Every structure is written in C-alpha cells, then in structure tokens.
Amino acid sequence: MTLGDIYKKAVEMGIRADPRGEAGVKKVLARRKTEYKELSKTKKAEYDLEDLNNPYSDSRILIGNLNLKVDKVMAGIDISSGEVVLADRLNQKGAGIDLLIAHHPIGGPLAALHEVMELQADLMANYGVPINIAEGLMRDRMSEVQRIFSPRNHNQAVDAARLLGLAVMCTHTITDNLVYDFLEKLFQKKSAETVGDVVKILKEVPEYKEAMKGKAGPIIFAGSEKNRAGKVAPIEITGGTEASHLVYEKLALAGVGTIVGMHAAENHRKECLKYHINLVIAGHMSSDSLGMNIFFDEIERGGVKVLPCSGFIRVRREKR
C-alpha cells in the first residue's frame, strides 16, 4: 500500500463508523464547501482544503509523499520526538520502518483538535439531548479547548521526523469513531442489567483484558456495581476530548443511566454523581488501542506490517 492508500482507507473507515452516519457526514462536508465558496480571497488562502474531503481535522498526513510505498509502520498511541528517534535507531538496525502513525494528534491536527468536537453535539442528540442544547454546551467547550492547546509546541515531533526523513500521519477521531462503533454495537448485543455487568462485558474485550494486567482496566468512577445500568451510552469516546461537564444534567434528563468513557476529569465525575449517572471508565490507552487495532487489521490485509509502540496494545481480529 502507498501512504495515500492508507490515509484514504483511514478516512473511509472513520466515516463509516461516525455516530452521525455517512449521510450526516456528507451534510457536514457539503456545508463546508458552501461556506468555503463564500469566503473572501484572503480567507480562502488560509483555509485547509483537506477539510473539504476529510471531516476530521485532527487526523492528517503530516509528512510524506502520497505515493510513498509503505511496507512497515511503527504505530503508537503517542508519537513524540522520542519515538521518532527510536524509529530511526531501529532503521539503523534494519527494521525497515517507512511510516510513523500516531493515534493522538500532533502538529496542525493538535492545534485543530477543538474543531472535531462538533461531532459530540450530534452524538448527544442521538441519546436524546435536544440538538440546540447540545450545540450550545459544546460551543463554549470548543472555545476553551482551542485556548488550552493554542500555546503547545505542536510541531516538535513533526520537526524531528522531518529532520530524520520519516513520514508521519495521525488518526485520532478516525480511530476513536471505530471504538465508539464497536462499543455501541457491543452493548446493543449484550444486555447489561447492572453497572457490574457493564464492567464485566468490557473486561471480555481483549484490549481491556490485557490492560487489567497493568492495573489500567475498566473501573467504576461513579455509582456502584450493584446499581442498575439503565440506558448505556459510550458517549465519552469520540469527538476530540471531553465535553463540557454541564452535559450530564441534560443526559440524565434524556434517560441515560450509564456512561462509558475513556477518561474523565474530577468535575465530570462529580456531575455524574450529582445527577445519579453511573460512570464507567473503560481505559484510555486500551480504548485507543481498540480503535487502532480495528484500523490496522485492515491495513495488514493490504500487506503492511505493523510494529506497535508507545502504549499501543496490538490485538488482531478475524475480519468482521
């Protein structure tokens, strides 16, 4: 496969698993194209044209020719300058790594992380929160996240890869969508009567089972294992980063009983307790690994070898 083939496959898979549905994603892209046409010449020159084809601003090729032949990928949850140097060192030993793929965004995709958070409004609407309320809550949070990430040294790892001649891409919301799709279907298939059942179901997933060995497996942050689960929503899974802590009141009113997430700040936990929502944290590196695995199973079928690093728990599955 070429770098272009891998990128195209990633975007296609992310769209198929998107909580908005493929039709919803097409509407988003159509709106962007209309907005772009109406921009001034100056604004058009500043516009990231890839936004017109790829709905995920936190998932991009950062360095590399689209025609680059890729035989081997080194993939990690985080790719920092350290992983870039590690790849170069391994190549000195004959590893033959052609491409680095990070899950978490780096470079411009990190600076643009807030842009993908609009997805969460539609996700909350899927669970019964009125879209106008969901959008209102997300608007302030997106602005906050933009300010948080604005001063970061976004290009540190990218610059290291450029100096060492390595291609780099990241697949953040793309592979988070794959996690969401997997967990949503899992809890539709396996009914959970109690919060304890939710945890038990998660622990049957190989990535979470492996994480248990390192004491980083599924855990209940709010509620107890004897609580009845009610409507289970894997809502803190995709769409950039955590939503506003104010969403939990609206989710409770919409009938959500248990939220499954990758991670949660303390103010989120307190809001869940306040509104009697059970909060189960599946695990961060393990959840990210789940999405990456679904993606890399497809890439390996294209003849590309994958070398996991940086917290990536590689588990292979039969084709679904």
Side-chain angles (χ1 to χ4, degrees), residues 84-158:
V84 174
V85 174
L86 174 60
D88 183 65
R89 182 73 184 94
L90 288 169
N91 278 348
Q92 289 174 5
K93 293 187 172 186
I97 296 164
D98 304 299
L99 170 66
L100 295 172
I101 297 184
H103 169 64
H104 288 142
I106 53 178
L110 178 58
L113 179 65
H114 63 285
E115 294 178 10
V116 299
M117 295 178 70
E118 64 178 5
L119 180 155
Q120 293 189 49
D122 293 273
L123 180 53
M124 284 186 275
N126 289 348
Y127 290 101
V129 177
I131 189 62
N132 58 305
I133 294 175
E135 283 187 332
L137 289 171
M138 288 307 305
R139 196 172 294 118
D140 289 342
R141 176 59 175 154
M142 287 168 68
S143 180
E144 180 186 17
V145 169
Q146 182 180 23
R147 294 192 298 273
I148 289 170
F149 285 98
S150 176
R152 298 284 183 90
N153 187 355
H154 309 111
N155 284 310
Q156 189 173 31
V158 179

Side-chain angles (χ1 to χ4, degrees), residues 260-276:
V260 176
M262 290 191 189
H263 48 77
E266 188 63 16
N267 60 343
H268 285 243
R269 173 183 172 274
K270 288 178 179 178
E271 287 294 297
C272 285
L273 290 169
K274 181 178 178 180
Y275 293 104
H276 310 289

Side-chain angles (χ1 to χ4, degrees), residues 16 18 32 46 54 68 131 138 147 214 233 282 297 314:
R16 283 201 302 269
D18 196 294
R32 288 183 184 178
E46 299 170 352
N54 174 359
L68 173 70
I131 189 62
M138 288 307 305
R147 294 192 298 273
D297 282 350
R314 184 72 179 110

Side-chain angles (χ1 to χ4, degrees), residues 30 173 281:
T173 292
I281 297 304

Side-chain angles (χ1 to χ4, degrees), residues 18-38:
D18 196 294
R20 295 169 291 195
E22 293 185 54
V25 174
K26 286 180 181 178
K27 287 180 181 179
V28 170
L29 293 175
R31 284 198 300 269
R32 288 183 184 178
K33 289 174 183 176
T34 299
E35 291 166 359
Y36 175 73
K37 289 178 182 177
E38 296 172 353

Side-chain angles (χ1 to χ4, degrees), residues 195 220 222-224 227-230 257-260 272 276-280:
V195 178
I220 300 170
S224 74
N227 285 3
R228 281 182 279 187
T258 300
I259 290 173
V260 176
C272 285
H276 310 289
I277 292 178
N278 303 297
L279 175 60
V280 175

